[in-house]
């Protein structure tokens, strides 16, 4: 039997497990990832990489590679509702095609939300993880058993040639998907429900002549023969089409021949050559784990919260999970923080994931209510009478419900506006700002993502680029010099990396604008966690003790506690 020792083991080589491996590699934590499939996904299931995930990928140095294999930005300009690609238009939700929308998007982040099909995204993540020192990525390895004790986790695995092995790790991240056997093995229960069963067809067809002047990401299709959603993967010839089927039907009823007929009804043209690449049944679920960790095992991604794809939150929520968890694992492994810090993973992430599960289900049901579902229940009488001049009235009825669906497709508030509440965050007494899924109001209130500001004279460079995943960042106002000394003292005392930047001196951003956006005066300061969320802010001048206490809390230590005995990074190497 092969024996392996590592800092953190990861089960699952989907987008979440691969992101975890990259984040662990970034921190120099040794990691072994096990994926039972021989290769990354062939079927492009998910595709929307939201702006927050793109910021995380930028920090890891892979955003450019993801951009290069994404749907071109100019083809990602809105959502269409039609009877078929050659049929009648019912309505459109504009996004990037609207100049004001595009201006607001640019003001919120240095990166853009992208559509990068999962079969293109995963290889980028895998390749990058494989370049990280100390990271071992093992495809074709099935984990067969997981046991934990007081000092670590043991995994038994079998590789594709039948060899068996055992891996001993300090901690385990289970990103093993919606049917997670690890979750079951450690006794974590799920709550929620299944919403319906669907078929996804991945196909190639050159549809350029039909879409050239309509650069839409999604095409919702409604006609007598089919209703569902067509996803543009490259804007031209790679597509998926997803639709629901009745409980009394079987996935086996959807033969290649039947699927081809369905695709003809989607396109509305009998002659365009179509090559079906794959037919994949899937189930729309709205479920969440009762807790995200058990002892040394942490569940993330679909293992913790399989959610409806209506809103494109699936792997995005999972990437945010591991981004929240891994800096904490790093501080615990190098003994800067107590193990209790890891309890905050469940406390901080579960409410955010729960909101995303519920919002995704709301999006699906809002479509049903207005007869627009496509992938769930549909009014078959209405669908039978939608096309041609005689269908105009019915199309008008459907069109009335389209503006109400914006939260499904356009959600900057949901992407950036969520916040964490836990003992790691020192409240400053200010109220939670108004929250809207469709509009983002930047806020540096403790718990929120520290807002983006462009650095002057450096096109494309952002204030958020300063936030180092390896440590904390202290931003001080232009008259807040005293905070810098306090930050250095706290860093020394706690053995915690804290990088200090004086606004206006070290960082060329407009100081008045920074004070307004970050909610402090010129002698104020803001402490930002490795994951870019604000841990503490002082509206004005204060004492070094306040900052030291907040930094101690932010890593799960009490303000009065003496510094821990520092050791080597246990998982390193
Ligand atoms: C039609 C559709 C559209 C979607 N659109 C989006 C979107 O736009 N944006 C978005 O964010 N999400 C989207 N999603 C959801 C997205 O596909 C999932 O959320 C995502 O795949 C979850 O990633 P994961 O890494 O958590 O799990 P998975 O991708 O399920 O990966 C889990 C991996 O674990 C492996 N595994 C399981 N057990 C073991 C074991 N014992 N040993 C070794 N390996 C194991 C599996 O083989 C699998 O590869 C969509 C989904 C669908 C169906």
């Amino acid at each position: 039997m092969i024996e392996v020792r590592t800092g953190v083991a990861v089960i699952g080589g989907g987008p979440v497990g691969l992101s975890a491996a990259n984040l662990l590699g970034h921190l120099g934590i040794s990691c072994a990832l096990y994926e039972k499939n021989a290769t990354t996904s062939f079927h492009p299931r998910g595709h929307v990489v939201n702006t927050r995930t793109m910021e995380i990928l930028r920090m890891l140095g892979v955003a450019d590679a993801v951009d290069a294999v994404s749907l071109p930005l100019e083809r990602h300009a809105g959502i269409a509702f039609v009877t078929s690609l050659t049929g009648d238009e019912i309505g459109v939700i504009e996004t990037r095609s609207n100049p004001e929308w595009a201006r607001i998007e640019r003001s919120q982040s240095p990166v853009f939300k992208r559509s990068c099909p999962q079969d293109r995204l995963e290889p980028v993540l895998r390749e990058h993880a494989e370049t990280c020192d100390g990271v071992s990525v093992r495809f074709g390895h099935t984990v067969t058993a997981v046991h934990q004790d007081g000092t670590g986790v043991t995994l038994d695995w079998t590789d594709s040639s039948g060899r068996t092995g055992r891996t001993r790790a300090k901690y385990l991240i289970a990103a093993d998907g919606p049917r997670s056997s690890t979750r079951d093995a450690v006794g974590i229960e799920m709550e929620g429900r299944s919403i319906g069963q669907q078929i996804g067809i991945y196909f190639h067809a050159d549809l350029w002549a039909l879409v050239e002047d309509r650069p839409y990401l999604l095409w919702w299709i409604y006609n007598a023969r089919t209703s569902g959603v067509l996803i543009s993967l490259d804007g031209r010839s790679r597509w998926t089409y997803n639709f629901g089927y009745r409980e009394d039907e079987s996935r086996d009823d959807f033969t290649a021949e039947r699927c081809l007929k369905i695709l003809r009804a989607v396109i509305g043209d009998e002659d365009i050559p179509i090559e079906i690449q794959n037919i994949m049944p899937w189930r729309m679920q709205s479920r969440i784990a009762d807790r995200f960790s058990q002892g040394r095992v942490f569940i993330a991604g679909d293992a913790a919260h399989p959610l409806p794809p209506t809103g494109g939150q699936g792997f995005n929520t999972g990437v945010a999970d591991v981004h929240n968890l891994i800096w904490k694992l790093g501080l615990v492994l190098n003994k800067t923080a107590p193990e209790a810090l890891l309890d905050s993973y469940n406390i901080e992430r579960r409410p955010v994931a729960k909101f995303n599960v519920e919002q995704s289900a709301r999006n699906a049901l809002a479509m049903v209510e207005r007869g627009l579902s496509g992938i769930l229940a549909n009014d078959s009488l209405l669908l039978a009478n939608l096309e041609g001049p005689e269908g105009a009235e019915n199309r008008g009825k459907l069109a009335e419900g389209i503006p109400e669906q914006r939260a499904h497709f356009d959600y900057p508030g949901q992407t950036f506006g969520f916040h964490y509440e836990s003992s790691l965050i020192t409240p400053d007494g200010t109220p939670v700002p108004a929250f809207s899924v469709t509009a983002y109001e930047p806020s540096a209130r403790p718990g929120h993502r520290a807002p983006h500001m462009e650095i002057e004279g450096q096109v494309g460079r952002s204030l958020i680029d300063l936030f180092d995943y390896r440590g904390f960042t202290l931003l001080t106002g232009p008259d807040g010099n005293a905070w810098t000394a306090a930050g250095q003292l706290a860093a020394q005392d706690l053995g915690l990396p804290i990088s200090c930047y004086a606004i206006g001196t070290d960082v060329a951003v407009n100081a008045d604008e920074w004070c307004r956006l970050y909610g402090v005066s010129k002698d104020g300061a803001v402490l930002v966690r490795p994951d870019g969320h604000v841990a503490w802010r002082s509206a004005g001048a204060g004492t070094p003790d306040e900052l030291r206490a907040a930094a101690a809390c932010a890593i799960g230590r009490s303000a009065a506690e003496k510094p821990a005995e520092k050791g080597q990074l246990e998982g390193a190497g």
Side-chain angles (χ1 to χ4, degrees):
M1 178 182 281
I2 302 161
E3 303 247 343
V4 178
R5 294 191 88 80
T6 191
V8 178
V10 177
I11 308 180
V16 177
L18 288 168
S19 297
N22 277 288
L23 288 161
L24 290 161
H26 190 77
L27 293 188
I29 300 171
S30 68
C31 147
L33 178 148
Y34 297 93
E35 164 56 52
K36 67 181 173 194
N37 293 329
T39 63
T40 50
S41 299
F42 176 74
H43 192 104
R45 272 180 295 163
H47 58 108
V48 172
V49 185
N50 76 24
T51 326
R52 186 66 189 128
T53 303
M54 286 302 295
E55 289 178 354
I56 295 167
L57 299 179
R58 172 179 165 106
M59 181 274 291
L60 287 169
V62 290
D64 288 347
V66 171
D67 279 342
V69 291
S70 291
L71 180 69
L73 281 176
E74 67 277 10
R75 305 298 305 170
H76 184 164
I79 313 296
F81 298 78
V82 296
T83 58
S84 73
L85 285 191
T86 49
D88 301 293
E89 181 177 301
I90 299 167
V92 167
I93 292 183
E94 277 195 338
T95 54
R96 253 177 215 133
S97 51
N98 177 330
E100 178 56 10
W101 190 96
R103 185 194 65 74
I104 294 171
E105 182 187 36
R106 282 194 303 276
S107 73
Q108 294 171 338
S109 176
V111 291
F112 294 103
K113 170 171 148 183
R114 298 303 305 239
S115 179
C116 181
Q118 223 167 306
D119 64 329
R120 297 290 192 259
L121 176 67
E122 289 177 8
V124 170
L125 295 175
R126 179 179 175 177
E127 268 168 42
H128 194 264
E130 284 171 343
T131 65
C132 298
D133 285 344
V135 172
S136 151
V137 177
R138 298 161 184 234
F139 275 61
H141 285 63
T142 303
V143 174
T144 52
V146 170
H147 300 285
Q148 59 173 323
D149 54 43
T151 58
V153 185
T154 303
L155 275 62
D156 289 336
W157 47 263
T158 307
D159 73 12
S160 47
S161 53
R163 286 181 309 173
T164 58
R166 175 163 287 178
T167 296
R168 180 76 179 163
K170 291 267 170 204
Y171 297 100
L172 168 64
I173 298 174
D176 49 351
R179 284 188 228 106
S180 169
S181 54
T182 314
R183 181 184 69 210
D184 299 341
V186 300
I188 295 177
E189 302 280 340
M190 297 298 280
E191 50 198 61
R193 65 194 178 108
S194 163
I195 305 188
Q197 49 188 10
Q198 284 75 26
I199 297 286
I201 312 173
Y202 165 34
F203 68 101
H204 291 173
D206 187 347
L207 303 180
W208 184 246
L210 303 181
V211 301
E212 182 180 1
D213 57 349
R214 298 182 293 172
Y216 302 128
L217 170 67
L218 303 180
W219 299 79
W220 290 81
I221 308 286
Y222 307 92
N223 64 49
R225 284 140 294 149
T226 185
S227 73
V229 59
L230 178 70
I231 303 175
S232 165
L233 302 177
D234 66 356
R236 179 175 203 128
S237 42
R238 291 202 329 126
W239 307 86
T240 58
Y241 182 63
N242 293 278
F243 56 95
Y245 64 101
R246 297 191 315 267
E247 290 294 333
D248 62 349
E249 286 181 299
S250 150
R251 58 179 65 181
D252 300 330
D253 296 337
F254 291 89
T255 58
E257 194 186 350
R258 183 168 174 197
C259 288
L260 196 59
K261 278 197 186 132
I262 290 170
L263 295 179
R264 293 259 169 246
V266 169
I267 298 168
D269 182 298
E270 293 300 316
D271 299 323
I272 292 177
I274 297 172
E275 286 171 28
I276 293 181
Q277 304 294 310
N278 195 36
I279 300 170
M280 183 192 76
W282 55 279
R283 197 163 259 286
M284 192 187 287
Q285 303 184 61
S286 169
R287 299 198 298 142
I288 187 158
D290 64 357
R291 58 198 188 281
F292 282 13
S293 63
Q294 177 62 44
R296 295 173 167 271
V297 176
F298 301 87
I299 58 171
D302 277 17
H305 43 68
L307 50 77
T310 35
Q313 299 294 333
F315 62 68
N316 288 300
T317 308
V319 172
D321 292 342
V322 291
H323 188 235
N324 177 288
L325 172 65
I326 286 170
W327 66 269
K328 296 172 183 171
L329 284 173
L331 290 178
V332 171
L333 281 166
N334 76 7
K335 294 196 165 73
T336 302
E339 203 158 48
L341 174 64
L342 303 175
D343 295 343
S344 65
Y345 169 60
N346 175 61
I347 294 167
E348 294 189 336
R349 281 307 300 165
R350 193 173 180 281
V352 178
K354 187 164 186 283
F355 179 85
N356 288 351
V357 171
E358 290 168 353
Q359 180 60 33
S360 302
R362 272 194 291 277
N363 292 339
L365 297 177
M367 294 279 278
V368 173
E369 269 169 29
R370 301 309 303 249
L372 287 163
S373 170
I375 46 175
L376 287 171
N378 277 301
D379 178 343
S380 46
L381 196 64
L382 192 78
L383 288 178
N385 296 290
L386 273 181
E387 292 170 270
E390 57 283 10
E393 195 181 328
N394 282 338
R395 291 199 298 277
K397 275 192 211 153
L398 280 189
E400 280 171 19
I402 291 175
E404 293 163 26
Q405 312 303 326
R406 182 162 279 276
H408 181 162
F409 307 106
D410 180 17
Y411 34 76
Q414 188 177 3
T415 301
F416 298 121
F418 69 86
H419 68 281
Y420 295 138
E421 275 180 29
S422 74
S423 59
L424 309 191
I425 307 291
T426 303
D428 67 354
T430 55
V432 181
F435 175 82
S436 151
V437 168
T438 52
Y440 166 57
E441 198 51 56
S443 168
R445 179 177 174 272
H448 293 251
R449 160 190 171 270
H452 152 75
M453 280 183 83
E454 192 165 279
I455 296 184
E456 288 163 7
Q458 297 183 40
V459 177
R461 185 129 171 92
S462 166
L463 187 58
I464 69 171
D465 292 332
L466 301 179
F467 307 151
D468 184 354
Y469 197 58
R470 298 175 187 88
F472 282 66
T473 304
L474 182 71
L475 300 175
T476 61
D479 299 337
N481 289 351
W483 285 120
T484 305
Q488 286 160 350
L489 209 63
Q492 203 178 13
D493 194 18
L494 297 167
L496 181 69
I498 302 180
S499 308
C500 303
Y501 297 96
I503 295 296
T505 312
D506 301 328
V507 192
V509 294
N510 181 300
D512 291 333
E513 177 57 11
W514 180 79
C515 289
R516 188 196 63 74
L517 195 63
Y518 274 66
V520 296
S521 53
K522 288 192 171 168
D523 51 1
V526 176
L527 183 67
V528 182
R529 309 194 316 184
D531 60 6
H533 283 253
V534 174
W536 164 91
R537 91 178 150 178
S538 177
T543 66
D545 279 352
E546 288 171 45
L547 175 55
R548 195 241 177 237
C553 278
I555 56 169
R557 282 166 51 177
S558 79
E561 200 183 313
K562 288 266 170 287
E565 190 77 10
K566 283 276 288 180
Q568 279 294 100
L569 187 66
E570 286 192 27

